[in-house]
Amino acid sequence: NAGVTQTPKFRILKIGQSMTLQCTQDMNHNYMYWYRQDPGMGLKLIYYSVGAGITDKGEVPNGYNVSRSTTEDFPLRLELAAPSQTSVYFCASSYPGGYGYTFGSGTRLTVV
Amino acid sequence: AQKVTQAQTEISVVEKEDVTLDCVYETRDTTYYLFWYKQPPSGELVFLIRRNSFDEQNEISGRYSWNFQKSTSSFNFTITASQVVDSAVYFCALKETSGSRLTFGEGTQLTVNP
């Protein structure tokens, strides 16, 4: 059981560059989420999806985009990287109602 | 709006001491779920417990126990006979039944010294 798989695990970007953080789950969960965790802080929700073709903004969506073309995949796109986006990014998935909430191992992103 | 407060930023104890991590939450929903996660130095999030708001029974799992009190909107976590391996950041989180998001507290850094 792979659960939630995130790639890459680490990445350094230059200001203004773009990248996509990949997230795949194999549990047939309807719901998927992207969170960011700044140093010494809790996780904040960036975007979430309740099913293929449906996405919605979380608390901190500025500077990010998402898409959900399949149940399994939920990529997060950074178009113009800024130092404020230096953070650890966690992808998660769940069934409706909070059952089976599962996190990936995280992507540590540094923007310089 | 939902909110989770973990007032203890850092706690330091000596091995074998008992330690309680506090969690206070705010929600307008009558049904919700509460969670505790452990984040060891390696960085991953380890699920510890999920509690339904209908179930106010306290729970014990080995050295871990949870005290859920709806009257005070608290969901505290106690580690009995702490060990060095318990050193981690612990997060309390809330999910309202009416919503999709998990709202996290700021976390409590627990350090258990030998």
Side-chain angles (χ1 to χ4, degrees):
Chain A
N1 278 340
V4 178
T5 302
Q6 290 184 238
T7 56
K9 293 191 182 303
F10 303 95
R11 183 72 185 269
I12 298 175
L13 278 183
K14 294 186 178 179
I15 294 172
Q17 285 186 322
S18 301
M19 78 163 294
T20 299
L21 281 66
Q22 301 292 344
C23 176
T24 300
Q25 54 95 6
D26 63 358
M27 296 170 285
N28 203 31
H29 284 167
N30 301 90
Y31 287 28
M32 295 188 74
Y33 317 81
W34 275 105
Y35 290 87
R36 60 176 285 173
Q37 183 183 23
D38 297 332
M41 307 290 283
L43 281 72
K44 296 196 183 302
L45 184 65
I46 305 172
Y47 270 96
Y48 66 100
S49 168
V50 299
I54 306 170
T55 62
D56 208 346
K57 296 178 180 179
E59 300 170 79
V60 289
N62 291 344
Y64 307 94
N65 280 301
V66 293
S67 60
R68 183 97 182 268
S69 56
T70 66
T71 300
E72 295 77 20
D73 300 308
F74 191 41
L76 178 71
R77 178 87 178 157
L78 284 70
E79 290 293 349
L80 292 170
S84 61
Q85 293 177 305
T86 293
S87 191
V88 179
Y89 292 82
F90 287 97
C91 180
S93 69
S94 78
Y95 293 115
Y99 286 94
Y101 224 107
T102 305
F103 283 86
S105 57
T107 295
R108 187 174 297 273
L109 176 68
T110 303
V111 182
V112 297
Chain B
Q2 55 189 30
K3 184 180 178 182
V4 176
T5 301
Q6 295 180 255
Q8 305 149 309
T9 306
E10 296 181 22
I11 300 176
S12 183
V13 299
V14 176
E15 207 170 17
K16 297 185 183 177
E17 284 186 21
D18 298 347
V19 58
T20 295
L21 309 182
D22 297 333
C23 173
V24 174
Y25 61 92
E26 297 175 28
T27 177
R28 293 178 182 172
D29 274 22
T30 55
T31 59
Y32 48 88
Y33 302 92
L34 295 163
F35 300 76
W36 275 95
Y37 285 88
K38 174 182 180 180
Q39 188 174 45
S42 51
E44 74 273 23
L45 286 162
V46 179
F47 168 81
L48 296 178
I49 190 171
R50 173 183 180 273
R51 174 63 54 166
N52 186 315
S53 58
F54 290 132
D55 184 0
E56 289 194 67
Q57 277 193 337
N58 292 330
E59 181 156 341
I60 298 174
S61 176
R63 295 184 297 107
Y64 295 170
S65 62
W66 291 269
N67 182 1
F68 177 30
Q69 293 201 349
K70 226 170 171 178
S71 60
T72 56
S73 297
S74 65
F75 187 44
N76 297 337
F77 172 33
T78 297
I79 302 174
T80 303
S82 60
Q83 300 176 1
V84 173
V85 293
D86 295 328
S87 296
V89 180
Y90 290 86
F91 291 100
C92 181
L94 165 72
K95 183 191 172 303
E96 295 172 336
T97 306
S98 60
S100 306
R101 66 184 64 185
L102 203 58
T103 297
F104 284 81
E106 297 298 315
T108 297
Q109 170 71 61
L110 173 65
T111 302
V112 182
N113 299 298

